[in-house]
Amino acid sequence: MKKYNISWITLSLSLMLLLMTYCKVPSTIERKENKHLPDHYTNNNLKGNYDSTSLIDWRSYFKDTLLISLIDTALMNNQELNIMLMEISSAQNEVQIRKGEYLPFLNLNAGTGFEKVGRYTSQGANDANTEIDEGKEFPEILGDLMISSKFSWEIDIWNKLRNAKKAAYLRYLSSVEGKNFMVTNLVSEIANSYYELLALDNQLVILKNNIQIQTNALDIVKQQMKSAKVSQLPVSRFEAFVLNTQSKVPMIEQKILETENKINFLLGRFPQPIARSNENFLTCSLGEINLGHPIQLLENRPDIKKTELELEACKLDVKVAKARFYPTLELNGNIGLQAFNPSYFLKAPESIIASLFGDLMSPLINKNEIKANFNNSNNKKIQAVYLFEQSILNAFIEVSNQVSNLENLSKSYELKSSEVEVLNQSVKISNSLFNSARADYIEVLLTQEEVLSSKFELVEIKKNQLSAYVNIYKSLGGGWQ
């Protein structure tokens, strides 16, 4: 009757303990993430249908086979990308760790030991009176030989361990999206550097052509000085102008070398020449771009998907932290063989040992660590909401900026091309007038300087136009497929 009463008292206390623990669990901070996006991108004339350019494979988006070869090499050899792949592998291992935590543990334990007790001690007297087999005395030196299997299992009542495993899996998926975002950035960075290299090559060609034109003009002025048509002043001014243009050549060559090495670094290799074709740089056309619907950014942008997965993992972290306030139930068991003498080790059932018991544990006092962990999990969840919303806003603004950039660069390129054509004609006219003594040498110098500057600006605009073509593909979420 006493045992019966004690059992009911224990059960009642456990229920009261559970109720007290549950009542003291703090509430979570709620903030619903905002996934709303405008229906269309503003101020653009590009197509806004539902077939976004981001869905095109980058091998089809870029037409230059040499550029495609460089990107392929980078995706195999880039050290930063390979480091990210190792982080993905670690995240996958973390999933296995979390999965193993809510499964039963079974360990094999074996051991032996010796002990000498006095015969006239309570243990020695009991051992001496123990009957073993007829004709055998109980040994004074005892040695237990034991082998058993130990079993332990925390019953996941509140889904604490399962939620931790799900959170780890979501973070693994997030690391995969992080790798995809890195691939997108790597593809765009190589493409932009490649087009920058082509622009520098074209600027170098323009410089050398202008140097040749200016040298020819200098020779003409020298001949005119010999025939006493001009003084030494025009000759000196023309010569200084040629030297000034020549001084720009080493600077361009240095930029070319640095850009080549930048690409080599992204490709994970030591410095070497970069194969490229820059013959049709100024005349190469851009492909068609379809923006798609803004809502597609949620599916196509790896950085948005990464922050969304992180948010879902943080929500599960809050549930895990909350479950720590509740009681935990753990089962422990043991079964095996144990005997003081090897000859009795396999004698069953006398040598069999077995146990099974359960522990119900609940935090009562000093919950500061649990509360702090719960509050931190709440804060990280709210932070993850803001990061998710920020990534959506950033993506939309990036696309809007690049759309406007493409349109304005296209207009600027047309106007600058017309300016270069007019200035080219001006150079011919000024040289002709100067040869016939109908124009001052200053006009010739200024005209040549203006045409050189305009050609450089035209190349720069074309480079920016190609970069915008790359960046809008990246901002739409392309490049990782």
Side-chain angles (χ1 to χ4, degrees), residues 100-344:
E101 287 181 350
Y102 67 80
L103 297 176
F105 291 89
L106 183 64
N107 300 315
L108 182 64
N109 185 33
T112 185
F114 297 94
E115 160 178 59
K116 172 67 173 71
V117 297
R119 178 176 290 272
Y120 299 113
T121 63
S122 58
Q123 180 181 346
N126 287 331
D127 292 343
N129 292 328
T130 300
E131 294 184 1
I132 306 173
D133 285 333
E134 188 177 352
K136 293 184 181 180
E137 292 187 1
F138 199 94
E140 293 185 0
I141 300 179
L142 304 177
D144 279 351
L145 179 63
M146 184 269 292
I147 182 169
S148 65
S149 294
K150 290 187 175 180
F151 165 84
S152 64
W153 186 18
E154 181 180 346
I155 307 301
D156 195 17
I157 304 174
W158 317 108
N159 287 330
K160 177 180 67 176
L161 302 179
R162 284 180 172 80
N163 285 332
K165 179 251 182 181
K166 291 178 182 178
Y169 180 68
L170 289 172
R171 288 193 167 90
Y172 159 71
L173 296 179
S174 175
S175 66
V176 173
E177 295 299 337
K179 185 268 297 182
N180 292 338
F181 188 56
M182 181 178 291
V183 169
T184 295
N185 288 329
L186 182 61
V187 169
S188 64
E189 191 171 1
I190 292 174
N192 282 326
S193 298
Y194 181 79
Y195 291 135
E196 182 180 357
L197 190 59
L198 298 186
L200 290 170
D201 287 342
N202 276 265
Q203 288 179 342
L204 185 61
V205 170
I206 292 171
L207 270 179
K208 291 181 177 179
N209 290 339
N210 271 54
I211 289 171
Q212 185 61 45
I213 294 172
Q214 293 165 11
T215 302
N216 293 337
L218 176 61
D219 292 338
I220 293 172
V221 174
K222 286 180 178 180
Q223 291 296 327
Q224 289 179 342
M225 188 184 71
K226 288 180 181 180
S227 60
K229 291 182 178 180
V230 296
S231 64
Q232 178 64 37
L233 181 59
V235 174
S236 299
R237 293 292 297 272
F238 267 94
E239 190 172 2
F241 192 63
V242 172
L243 292 172
N244 177 266
T245 306
Q246 288 175 337
S247 68
K248 297 176 181 178
V249 172
M251 298 171 62
I252 297 293
E253 290 176 341
Q254 177 63 25
K255 290 181 180 179
I256 289 174
L257 178 65
E258 291 177 358
T259 306
E260 282 186 322
N261 287 341
K262 178 183 178 181
I263 294 175
N264 281 318
F265 177 78
L266 294 174
L267 269 59
R269 67 188 189 187
F270 288 100
Q272 56 184 276
I274 299 296
R276 70 252 192 198
S277 175
N278 54 19
E279 296 177 357
N280 302 319
F281 176 74
L282 290 174
T283 58
C284 66
S285 59
L286 305 180
E288 185 181 17
I289 296 174
N290 298 323
L291 297 179
H293 193 279
I295 198 67
Q296 288 182 304
L297 292 175
L298 300 179
E299 291 297 324
N300 298 334
R301 290 268 304 214
D303 56 330
I304 294 179
K305 292 196 286 185
K306 181 179 186 300
T307 56
E308 186 176 17
L309 290 167
E310 285 287 349
L311 172 59
E312 295 303 317
C314 287
K315 290 179 180 178
L316 290 174
D317 287 341
V318 173
K319 293 182 179 180
V320 172
K322 188 174 183 179
R324 292 185 63 191
F325 287 97
Y326 304 149
T328 58
L329 176 61
E330 184 174 343
L331 298 179
N332 292 279
N334 185 27
I335 185 169
L337 300 172
Q338 183 176 3
F340 66 87
N341 192 306
S343 61
Y344 301 110

Side-chain angles (χ1 to χ4, degrees), residues 10 23 140 187 446:
T10 303
C23 292
E140 293 185 0
V187 169
L446 289 175

Side-chain angles (χ1 to χ4, degrees), residues 4-53:
Y4 179 77
N5 291 335
I6 291 174
S7 299
W8 272 107
I9 291 173
T10 303
L11 179 60
S12 300
L13 288 174
S14 299
L15 292 174
M16 289 176 62
L17 182 65
L18 177 61
L19 183 60
M20 290 170 59
T21 305
Y22 183 77
C23 292
K24 292 183 179 180
V25 175
S27 59
T28 58
I29 304 172
E30 297 297 335
R31 188 184 190 282
K32 183 67 175 176
E33 63 273 14
N34 181 15
K35 296 184 179 181
H36 173 73
L37 277 164
D39 293 331
H40 60 276
Y41 301 102
T42 57
N43 302 324
N44 73 85
N45 296 319
L46 299 178
K47 293 185 177 180
N49 57 30
Y50 289 88
D51 298 323
S52 173
T53 295

